[in-house]
Amino acid sequence: MKIQNPSHRPRFFTAIGLILISAVTVRADYQSTILGDTPLAYYALTPNSDPAGVAPDLTGNGNDGVAVNTTAATGPSVYIPNAANFSGASSINLSQGSNPGLLDFTGPITLEAWAQPSSSSLFADIVAKGYDATTFQEIVIRVNGPYGANYYASSGSTGVSGGAQTTNWTHVVMSSDGTNCSLYVNGVLVQQSADTTGSVQFPDDWKIGNGSSAGNGRLFNGNICQVAIYNHGLTASQVLNHYYVGLLNSSASTSVPIISTQPQPQQSFVGGPATFSVSAVSASPITYQWFKAGSPLAGRTNSTLSLTNLQLADAVDYSVAVSNSNGTTNSVSASLSVSVPSNLLWSSVANSGTWDTGTSANWINQANSQQVVFNSGDQALFDDTAGVPTTVNVSGNVFPSLITVNASANNFTFSSGNISGPGSLVKKGSSTLTITSSGDFTGPVTISGGTVYAGNNSFKAASSLTVTNNSTLDFGGGSYNTGQPVTVSGAGANGAGALFNSYDNYPGEIFNITLAGDAIFGASKRWDLNGGSINGAHKLTIDWSAGSGYGEWNGVTIGANVAGITLTNGNIGMKNMDAAFQNPGTVFTVSTNSQMVFYTGGFNGSIHLLSGSQIYHYTAPAGFNGSNMIFEDGAALISYYNGGATTPVNSAIILNGVAHFVIGDHNMVYTNVISGPGGFVEDYYNSQMVFSASNTYAGPTIIGSSGNSPVVVLTGNGSISHSSPIFFGGNDPTVVHIDASGRSDQTLTLASGQTLAGIGKINGSLTVAFGATISPAGTNTTIGITTGANTNGTISVGNAVVLNGTTTLKLNGSGVNDMVQAGTSITYGGTLNLVNVSGTPLANGNSFQVFSAASYVGSFSSITPTIPGPGLVWDTSQLNTLGFISVVAGSSSPVINTPTISGGNLIFNGTGGTPNGSYSVLTTTNVATSITNWVSLATNSFDALGNFSVTNAMVPGTPQRFYRIKQ
């Protein structure tokens, strides 16, 4: 274990003061008890009997200590009567004996001592090795006020702390047994940390009353005795036994409880509460019985005695009997003072501005208008009386039963001191009350007017907080982490927010909030909700416009009756909100240009993203499980992280405009229906949007930009059959943009009204239904994002292509054109629309490969335009072999081939017509008749190759009939 930072300072703990118990029958000796547990070194520290300058090692291992400037002192009990006094310039070196290497060991270790610091705020080592100047290693127990301490560290990796440091004698033990490092103060385990290393070897000296190497100078001031070092961990029962033998000279298993903290005197007022408490140690179970004026209190058998609604008759002494199977220990008696509250008004006459107890006559007794002092339990009123000091200096502790500030003109400030007790605070009027006094009063706080700035955590112990009537509680950076009930409504003073933070302290609050009406939360500095709950059938607005710009919610429970939450500006972070919403339909609205940022976990509420707002999603695999997610035009979901974990989106998606989905390095799986008139632009890299529902959104599906672009994956019955256009961004026909191979039919079907454009690939098959259009390449700019700008390009399909709608292909000079490519077959049908975009007329000999497949079947019902130009025709003879279409010179006229007779019909066909052009069938019985007098028998169209076929019934009795084709 090594300290990584040379400036590392360990954590510390307080040594708890002792109340000494009268001796019982002597059954043991402290030194023999310690030696019986085999320490490596043991120093009783009795300068009045030790050789001068020597602290003998009582184990016989020869590691006597060299004492400097220590003198004799009284020990912690009649059974440990002697100790050494350390003056702040004293120390004992334990590493100059005959066997110092014995103390330089690895593995389990225990340090033990009795210590009495001269100050409750002293920072000093009791017994220590290090802090090493090179490796920064240290093994130590110490005091470090205001938290007296024991710290054990091998390179700073293990620290334990606890207790409340006083100037009383304290038994302190650190035991590292190979599994845990445990701190015991006066026989009680106060903290434990995992530690499998224990002691380590480094060359510094062991010292008592100081550290060594870089720790030299951490000098102890006070008394120390009975220091022991072990190469094994003492058990909890051994530690408790040492404590008992030191105080009672008897074993813990055979002794009565030891009271380590006695009940303390209490003061309160009529109608108020009071609490007495006791702490004790024992090797066997403890029972308690409280007494009032010497008489037992029925049912009061806990370690605390809580009294409420006090009356004057309750002002007596209270005590407790602490018992175990070996007998009973009686506590000292503690008095309770109960006063009769007076209603006092802050005076404008001869007022020094100090609020103290029983000294300064700065108050008016409203019962008799006399100038009086404040006494504990009195009610204190501050109002708009002219001339009163508005800066109130709280001196020491004051215990009001009620504080009322009812002011609109006077802005009061309470500073210094501490406001204590069970009293409550009420703020009325439009003024500002500023409190920087610390506060541990436990009554409710009610704010119904103006602003209260509660700095210094002054409301942390209040039983409840209520903020209504457009007033504001500014908790000034305070951290409230007990789940206080908070009732709020209104926009706050000047619309700033009912709850507000103006102090740059990043507080993380745990409140249980009830919305009594629509409410606003605001801030000029960041504050977070780190738990708790929000309930109430009203709307909550989060407004960071005062300057905060950001706050986080971490595991906050949102009640089913909350009417909705809106972030009006700035950003909000979300952590561990997977199960936060009791009603998944509760909508969290993110306003224009605002952001919701997910760092840990998912979200089970509904989200409404207004135009220009964004979700940043950095967490996986937790997803979105609310009722719905609503996207307005230009709203964005930005989700990327490494690792490839899949994010489930189980919310229904409603696209009211075109959303922007930015996804990287993972998949988003949408299991619910995506609907609405809008669509989306999807881009970034290594990602898939997986759709398993029959989606009904009608707007565009714009996929990818370039390179390894994202993919829309259709699985099961997943479809996008209402979306138009579907556009593949980028310019690489090998990059997959839609994967339909997971559908039951492995096919992307374009329904009537849909258009597929751009450049890219489809895994699976493609069917272009009647009324649908496929048009490779093109330019697309949606919500300001250009995903493709290509005059020509290819849409490729892994398997088969069936064309029943319109296939639009752009021709850009001979050999340059759009293409539809299939991995297996292409079935022709519908209309082939050929668009010349070159700016130069097509010419005889131009040739274009517009299709590529392993095989071709079927034919187009029409080709537009019907001819590529004057005197030219489309040559489709290679469409069904190589996917080519060419431009050739047109024939002078159609030619009728050999006729046939079948079933009373004359059938003749021919070639040479204008592909897809119209023609008429003319007939006459006299070939010499002028062409203008021939009869039009029928009209029809040449096919795409200029071929035709005519079937006419033969009329009996007509000896001859002649036919011509007119185009």
Side-chain angles (χ1 to χ4, degrees), residues 437-793:
S437 301
S438 58
D440 54 15
F441 67 92
T442 57
V445 172
T446 302
I447 305 170
S448 59
T451 298
V452 176
Y453 176 90
N456 237 355
N457 270 328
S458 52
F459 291 168
K460 189 170 184 177
S463 59
S464 64
L465 306 173
T466 300
V467 186
T468 59
N469 197 34
N470 291 319
S471 58
T472 293
L473 169 59
D474 181 347
F475 41 84
S479 180
Y480 296 79
N481 53 20
T482 60
Q484 276 174 307
V486 179
T487 301
V488 295
S489 66
N494 301 314
L499 294 183
F500 193 89
N501 179 47
S502 65
Y503 186 69
D504 197 5
N505 199 29
Y506 291 79
E509 317 300 357
I510 302 177
F511 290 137
N512 288 318
I513 297 170
T514 298
L515 301 174
D518 292 352
I520 294 177
F521 292 173
S524 58
K525 303 295 182 181
R526 169 178 166 176
W527 67 280
D528 302 340
L529 283 175
N530 281 348
S533 62
I534 300 173
N535 288 279
H538 300 281
K539 296 178 181 179
L540 173 62
T541 299
I542 303 166
D543 182 355
W544 303 140
S545 62
S548 167
Y550 182 79
E552 285 184 357
W553 286 10
N554 187 346
V556 182
T557 299
I558 310 299
N561 58 348
V562 173
I565 304 170
T566 298
L567 174 68
T568 62
N569 54 75
N571 304 331
I572 189 164
M574 291 288 162
K575 295 179 177 179
N576 302 308
M577 299 292 284
D578 309 72
F581 285 76
Q582 295 179 344
N583 176 9
T586 301
V587 178
F588 197 118
T589 300
V590 184
S591 297
T592 299
N593 299 323
S594 298
Q595 295 179 353
M596 177 181 282
V597 186
F598 289 88
Y599 294 107
T600 305
F603 198 73
N604 75 323
S606 295
I607 302 175
H608 188 182
L609 293 168
L610 301 187
S611 179
S613 65
Q614 297 173 322
I615 287 177
Y616 274 91
H617 181 246
Y618 298 110
T619 179
F624 299 93
N625 296 304
S627 295
N628 52 61
M629 298 176 69
I630 305 169
F631 292 80
E632 303 298 334
D633 200 56
L637 170 58
I638 302 165
S639 178
Y640 43 75
Y641 44 79
N642 294 324
T646 294
T647 297
V649 182
N650 298 317
S651 305
I653 305 297
I654 301 172
L655 302 174
N656 288 332
V658 178
H660 188 194
F661 295 141
V662 182
I663 309 170
D665 278 337
H666 69 287
N667 299 337
M668 305 282 285
V669 179
Y670 295 79
T671 62
N672 215 321
V673 174
I674 305 175
S675 63
F680 62 85
V681 176
E682 178 198 12
D683 59 28
Y684 234 54
Y685 54 86
N686 297 336
S687 61
Q688 297 180 354
M689 291 180 67
V690 182
F691 297 163
S692 59
S694 297
N695 299 303
T696 60
Y697 69 95
T701 300
I702 314 299
I703 307 171
S705 53
S706 61
N708 191 6
S709 114
V711 182
V712 168
V713 177
L714 305 178
T715 63
N717 294 320
S719 67
I720 53 174
S721 59
H722 297 265
S723 171
S724 187
I726 301 171
F727 188 87
F728 295 168
N731 50 26
D732 187 345
T734 67
V735 172
V736 175
H737 287 71
I738 290 182
D739 186 346
S741 61
R743 272 182 53 86
S744 53
D745 60 3
Q746 298 186 335
T747 300
L748 170 67
T749 299
L750 295 181
S752 179
Q754 286 190 285
T755 296
L756 172 62
I759 298 175
K761 185 176 182 178
I762 297 169
N763 272 349
S765 298
L766 171 67
T767 295
V768 182
F770 177 81
T773 299
I774 181 172
S775 177
T779 297
N780 184 278
T781 300
T782 304
I783 58 172
I785 300 171
T786 299
T787 51
N790 300 285
T791 302
N792 297 99

Side-chain angles (χ1 to χ4, degrees), residues 9-33:
R9 292 285 297 269
R11 293 173 293 166
F12 306 98
F13 351 75
T14 299
I16 299 177
L18 301 179
I19 302 297
L20 298 183
I21 310 285
S22 297
V24 296
T25 302
V26 175
R27 290 179 289 178
D29 173 79
Y30 188 80
Q31 291 188 10
S32 63
T33 300

Side-chain angles (χ1 to χ4, degrees), residues 16 59 200 314 392 433 558 682 824 865 919 930 941:
I16 299 177
T59 65
V200 294
D314 295 318
V392 181
L433 169 62
I558 310 299
E682 178 198 12
T824 56
Y919 66 89
S930 170
S941 298

Side-chain angles (χ1 to χ4, degrees), residues 20 159 205 269 776:
L20 298 183
D205 291 343
F269 48 87

